[in-house]
Amino acid sequence: MFKKILLPIDLQETHLAVKAVKIAIDEARKHSAEICVMTVMPGFGMPVVASFFPDNAMKKALKEIGAELKRYIAANFPKDIGTHPIIAEGNPAERILAQAKTLGADLIVIPSHAQSLSQVFLGSCAAKVVEHATCSVMVIKG
């Protein structure tokens, strides 16, 4: 049923993704699916923000985040599960939705740390993804 699973994580708060990682791995095993592990950098590329950083800051940040994401995957995913690292820049919900569409993802497994129902509906990344995704979304409470 699911062949491509998108798993967005925040590398600064990986503790929130522990359950989501386990569930994504279980789903990948059940369906012989691959997992695309994604992280989103803040929008440094915006002209106003970019003007405060040296020209090579974005390339350096992407390289460091790429290495960190690969280490995270190596430490948290078994070798028998096909995984692919993805790094995006910008608004997390928008980038996740765009990546899901580009990949043709069948399922998004997204961790949520919303403490109350009102937080979920008032602006968490997970809520925005659920609202606008064209594929199934599994929200995993931390």
Side-chain angles (χ1 to χ4, degrees):
M1 183 174 181
F2 302 122
K3 293 298 173 196
K4 284 196 188 238
I5 299 170
L6 180 60
L7 174 65
I9 60 164
D10 182 342
L11 287 174
Q12 294 181 342
E13 298 192 57
T14 56
H15 64 281
L16 297 173
V18 172
K19 285 177 21 182
V21 167
K22 288 178 184 175
I23 289 169
I25 290 168
D26 287 346
E27 290 300 317
R29 282 202 170 116
K30 281 183 207 172
H31 303 285
S32 299
E34 62 183 1
I35 302 173
C36 297
V37 184
M38 176 181 192
T39 195
V40 181
M41 289 179 28
F44 292 117
M46 295 170 36
V48 172
V49 176
S51 67
F52 291 99
F53 295 95
D55 292 339
N56 66 345
M58 180 56 91
K59 285 182 185 175
K60 186 177 178 183
L62 282 170
K63 186 176 179 179
E64 289 176 17
I65 289 171
E68 187 176 344
L69 183 58
K70 286 178 182 175
R71 282 190 298 273
Y72 179 83
I73 290 170
N76 292 282
F77 291 83
K79 300 278 187 235
D80 66 314
I81 300 293
T83 57
H84 307 282
I86 298 172
I87 302 166
E89 176 209 357
N91 176 284
E94 290 174 9
R95 301 290 15 121
I96 292 165
L97 291 163
Q99 192 63 55
K101 192 174 215 176
T102 299
L103 290 170
D106 306 300
L107 175 65
I108 301 170
V109 177
I110 187 166
S112 176
H113 61 277
Q115 299 298 313
S116 69
L117 197 55
S118 63
Q119 275 186 308
V120 171
F121 291 114
L122 290 177
S124 77
C125 178
K128 290 175 186 166
V129 169
V130 168
E131 183 179 352
H132 297 288
T134 57
C135 64
S136 296
V137 179
M138 189 181 299
V139 179
I140 309 302
K141 297 277 289 181

